[in-house]
Amino acid sequence: MQRLLAAFTRYRAPEAIRLPQSGFATFLYFIGMCVVPAVLEELLVRGAMQAVLSRWGTWFSIVVSSVVFTLLHGDIAQMPSLFILSVLMGLAAYCTGSLALGMALHFAYNTMSFLFLYAAQKMDGVSAFAFAGYLVAVFCVGAVVCLAAIRRLGVMRRFRPIPRVYDPKNRQSRLERLASAPLFPLVMACMALRAAWPLFAK
């Protein structure tokens, strides 16, 4: 996606975070990049925003909060994968009634990104390539094992079913709709403009 955007627009890939030389400092970077966002962003997006928006319907709350989550990250090349991940985390929060599974998915995604960054910056070419291939294999095998365990144990039967797209909406007064509607789309439009601006700005 980054190469495609760079070829046809003025997009420039953001500079990668430079990991420090110290092992302890790298560990602190791991906490700051993987653990803290997984907890705080889930509390904000799924715990607060999705819960507030759920009065308009489950799918509405999941999609809108996922759009906001995606726009918060800024890099337009990453937005498709972030949006899909956010929808999955939103469904996890709805079906389980808990933020724990979403936090685990968020943490796993951040950890995968961190480990690829670590391989690129801390290892030589051959070792980095081998480590990256090992990571892909581990995550794929882990996903298959988790799916098999979920199916075998019948875990999905314990969760709330995934809602239909056209689930019932609440009955809000016209005044409440008018008072709450204008600012939110304006903020989202500004965030979208901020994300798309590097594609065309000189």
Side-chain angles (χ1 to χ4, degrees):
M1 181 66 77
Q2 287 181 338
R3 291 178 182 177
L4 185 65
L5 290 173
F8 295 100
T9 68
R10 297 181 183 274
Y11 171 84
R12 289 183 181 179
E15 293 185 8
I17 296 173
R18 299 300 305 178
L19 296 177
Q21 296 297 323
S22 165
F24 181 70
T26 301
F27 173 73
L28 292 180
Y29 264 63
F30 172 79
I31 297 297
M33 293 173 62
C34 301
V35 180
V36 174
V39 174
L40 295 185
E41 289 180 4
E42 288 307 300
L43 287 173
L44 172 64
V45 178
R46 251 65 62 178
M49 187 178 300
Q50 183 172 315
V52 169
L53 295 174
S54 63
R55 68 183 66 179
W56 283 282
T58 303
W59 271 111
F60 177 83
S61 65
I62 291 173
V63 171
V64 173
S65 61
S66 295
V67 170
V68 174
F69 174 84
T70 303
L71 292 175
L72 283 172
H73 287 76
D75 183 12
I76 199 167
Q78 297 180 3
M79 287 184 176
S81 61
L82 286 174
F83 178 76
I84 294 171
L85 177 68
S86 183
V87 169
L88 292 175
M89 292 188 295
L91 285 171
Y94 168 79
C95 293
T96 63
S98 168
L99 299 178
L101 182 56
M103 287 180 181
L105 289 170
H106 200 150
F107 174 75
Y109 182 87
N110 289 350
T111 300
M112 182 174 65
S113 300
F114 178 86
L115 291 175
F116 279 119
L117 182 65
Y118 181 88
Q121 295 184 10
K122 299 288 188 177
M123 300 180 176
D124 58 42
V126 175
S127 298
F129 182 78
F131 185 66
Y134 175 75
L135 286 177
V136 171
V138 166
F139 276 98
C140 289
V141 170
V144 171
V145 170
C146 287
L147 289 173
I150 287 171
R151 177 172 182 148
R152 182 177 178 81
L153 298 174
V155 173
M156 293 302 294
R157 290 195 295 270
R158 304 174 195 173
F159 298 155
R160 285 191 287 180
I162 294 175
R164 288 193 271 176
V165 174
Y166 300 106
D167 50 359
K169 308 296 187 291
N170 77 318
R171 294 183 177 180
Q172 252 196 337
S173 70
R174 291 180 181 178
L175 180 60
E176 288 174 322
R177 290 181 186 275
L178 289 174
S180 61
L183 182 60
F184 189 68
L186 178 63
V187 172
M188 291 182 65
C190 290
M191 293 171 65
L193 181 62
R194 172 184 168 271
W197 183 257
L199 299 180
F200 310 103
K202 293 183 179 180

